[in-house]
Amino acid sequence: MSTRFEELDWRPTPMGEISLRRRRDPSSGEDVHEVKLGDEFLMSSMFTAGEVALAELGLAAAGGGELDVVVGGLGLGYTAEAALRDDRVRAMVVVDALDAVIDWHRRGLVPLGPKVAGDARCRLVQGSFFAMAEDEVGFDPDAAGRRFHAVLLDIDHSPQHVLHPAHAAFYEPAGLRRLADRLHPGGVFALWSNDPPEAWFETVLAEVFPESRSHVVTFDNPLQGGTSTNTVYVARTAAG
């Protein structure tokens, strides 16, 4: 059993101070891993239903056949690990802006780290997802212009509540069109959001993609009592 509270890592980053903490939940007796950026909680292993649903809903929309996948935002690894459980995934690039987060997985400081970092299909790439979406090289530094069957994104709190103002342009029609160009025909873009479905963003998705849908994911919230929700947006390019 772990100690009641332990800070596993702390580092300054260009986005602020990031820390990885582990605490024992008094009600369940289980370890909870949490990530903070400055004074803001980014993620917790208590609430992972939305991250898992992002992979499951996104890849379900991708159809049959082998899949090349991008995951934007490594975090605690729940989206990446859920995607790797899909046998159709033959190759996956996981992009995270912070080398500290990648290091946590490679060193096994987070529970899913060995599964994610140790899977031969998975490459962890340090970089800005949003800059890569605009750059001609794209998401694979070793294969300029490579296209993918699915892009699963979980970085900002929502399209409206972004971690950095520079991210906002990605969620406009021009930004999503550039993202769509990174996809194969029939390819999928799926996005996690902490907010309820936003009508303005649904309109943007419908402008860029011929198919789009918002899924509300409900899960238990033991901290507040009752249930909470996340949203997973799933959009698909035209089939070839």
Side-chain angles (χ1 to χ4, degrees), residues 7 67 78 80 99 107 118-119 142 149 158 166 177 195 230 240:
E7 187 172 72
L67 302 176
Y78 285 92
D99 57 1
R107 292 168 57 196
D119 194 304
D142 297 331
H149 300 96
S158 75
R177 286 192 184 98
D195 291 345
N230 292 159

Side-chain angles (χ1 to χ4, degrees), residues 86-154:
D86 192 319
D87 292 336
R88 296 172 300 156
V89 175
R90 65 180 177 188
M92 187 167 74
V93 176
V94 184
V95 178
D96 201 282
L98 301 177
D99 57 1
V101 176
I102 292 174
D103 187 50
W104 297 341
H105 284 73
R106 289 176 173 161
R107 292 168 57 196
L109 293 182
V110 292
L112 297 181
K115 285 186 178 180
V116 173
D119 194 304
R121 296 171 293 166
C122 180
R123 291 171 52 209
L124 306 181
V125 175
Q126 191 274 323
S128 166
F129 172 91
F130 300 100
M132 289 178 169
E134 293 187 359
D135 189 87
E136 292 183 2
V137 173
F139 298 115
D140 187 343
D142 297 331
R146 180 182 177 189
R147 290 191 172 193
F148 294 86
H149 300 96
V151 172
L152 314 174
L153 179 59
D154 176 8

Side-chain angles (χ1 to χ4, degrees), residues 216-233:
V216 176
V217 180
T218 303
F219 53 91
D220 292 332
N221 187 332
L223 293 182
Q224 298 179 351
T227 60
S228 294
T229 63
N230 292 159
T231 300
V232 175
Y233 300 96

